[in-house]
Amino acid sequence: MADSDHSTTLSFVTRRRLLIGTTLTTLAWPFQARAQTAEPQTGHDNPDPALLAWQSWKTVALRTEALCHKQQHLETKLVREIGFPRTTLRMPGSSEALEFFSPEDIEAVCGSAPEMADLCTKAKAELAEHQARWDAIDEQIGYSATKQAEVEAGEREQELVDALTATPATSLAGVAGKLDMIFHEGSIWEDDTEFPQPQIRSALRDLIRIAETMEPNVLMPGSDRETSHARRAASEA
């Protein structure tokens, strides 16, 4: 019987929700008149450490996203060609067929009843055969390897999220980098039509407009979001 494990997803959702709240509180300090942890920079001799941290995060975030799309494509291919490994078992005296996805589930239902021994053995053999076909195609197309690479990239991305959050920004570009990261991380699990996605987009848009006037030669994180957002809105119309 199916037993989906959502523990990893839930921990990421919780982490990202907390991130939105905690990181927003770090964004105001560069505009404070007497910031003590760093001095705002207007030149380019000393790059903003937050902007450098954003660039590191962005590289890994794009890789994680690409791997996510790839593993989803490969999983869809596996499901269409093989189907998730499973078997069915019809209990004696019942017209209902139960569906199983693991040997443990089969054993939990069959127990030690002698009259169930043959049925359980057959069900386990069918499940093992289905699993073997799945594993063969998996190895051929690289699904599990891609999924593991995505997990590792996601873990690295979270480390860089923490690093960027903890790095004081010394320029408008650095602040934009933090907002860009929050917008990206928050929109992964949350519906971006709900708070705080529109508010973050609005703040980021304003910050980019002001910063491009004050720092016209500096790469402004998030400046590509309006184009992509407009393209997606047009495609959904």
Side-chain angles (χ1 to χ4, degrees):
M1 299 193 294
D3 181 17
S4 299
D5 180 7
H6 299 297
S7 60
T8 300
T9 299
L10 288 174
S11 65
F12 275 8
V13 171
T14 302
R15 184 181 183 85
R16 292 175 195 275
R17 284 174 177 169
L18 290 174
L19 170 73
I20 292 173
T22 57
T23 308
L24 281 172
T25 63
T26 72
L27 295 176
W29 85 266
F31 302 106
Q32 296 173 354
R34 296 183 179 180
Q36 297 179 354
T37 53
E39 291 297 327
Q41 297 175 358
T42 57
H44 306 297
D45 294 336
N46 297 310
D48 184 344
L51 184 58
L52 297 178
W54 169 83
Q55 290 172 334
S56 297
W57 163 81
K58 186 72 171 182
T59 298
V60 176
L62 290 175
R63 172 172 168 74
T64 304
E65 186 174 357
L67 287 168
C68 177
H69 291 318
K70 182 178 180 180
Q71 74 89 8
Q72 288 175 343
H73 170 74
L74 294 176
E75 183 176 74
T76 299
K77 180 180 177 66
L78 268 170
V79 172
R80 287 177 177 173
E81 293 187 9
I82 303 297
F84 287 111
R86 63 181 179 177
T87 188
T88 57
L89 176 62
R90 194 178 302 278
M91 305 297 290
S94 174
S95 60
E96 181 182 3
L98 301 178
E99 194 170 57
F100 298 90
F101 293 86
S102 74
E104 292 76 18
D105 289 337
I106 297 174
E107 292 177 357
V109 171
C110 292
S112 58
E115 66 273 16
M116 297 292 295
D118 290 342
L119 290 175
C120 288
T121 298
K122 180 181 178 181
K124 289 180 181 179
E126 290 176 349
L127 179 60
E129 181 181 353
H130 198 171
Q131 183 68 56
R133 295 200 304 271
W134 173 283
D135 291 342
I137 301 299
D138 177 355
E139 184 175 1
Q140 179 182 342
I141 66 177
Y143 166 69
S144 289
T146 301
K147 188 174 182 179
Q148 179 60 33
E150 181 201 0
V151 170
E152 293 174 357
E155 291 174 348
R156 177 56 180 159
E157 180 182 345
Q158 288 302 308
E159 292 174 357
L160 293 172
V161 163
D162 292 341
L164 175 53
T165 302
T167 302
T170 59
S171 69
L172 290 174
V175 180
K178 289 191 173 186
L179 276 171
D180 182 56
M181 177 270 289
I182 296 171
F183 187 74
H184 174 85
E185 297 293 315
S187 65
I188 290 176
W189 295 107
E190 301 297 326
D191 183 348
D192 64 6
T193 63
E194 298 178 354
F195 179 85
Q197 299 306 315
Q199 290 77 13
I200 295 174
R201 180 185 289 115
S202 176
L204 182 58
R205 184 188 302 121
D206 291 342
L207 182 59
I208 290 170
R209 185 181 67 254
I210 296 170
E212 286 179 342
T213 300
M214 299 176 63
E215 303 175 2
N217 297 321
V218 175
L219 170 66
M220 197 54 54
S223 58
D224 60 325
R225 290 199 177 277
E226 285 306 302
T227 300
S228 61
H229 177 68
R231 187 184 303 117
R232 183 177 63 180
S235 66
E236 293 174 351

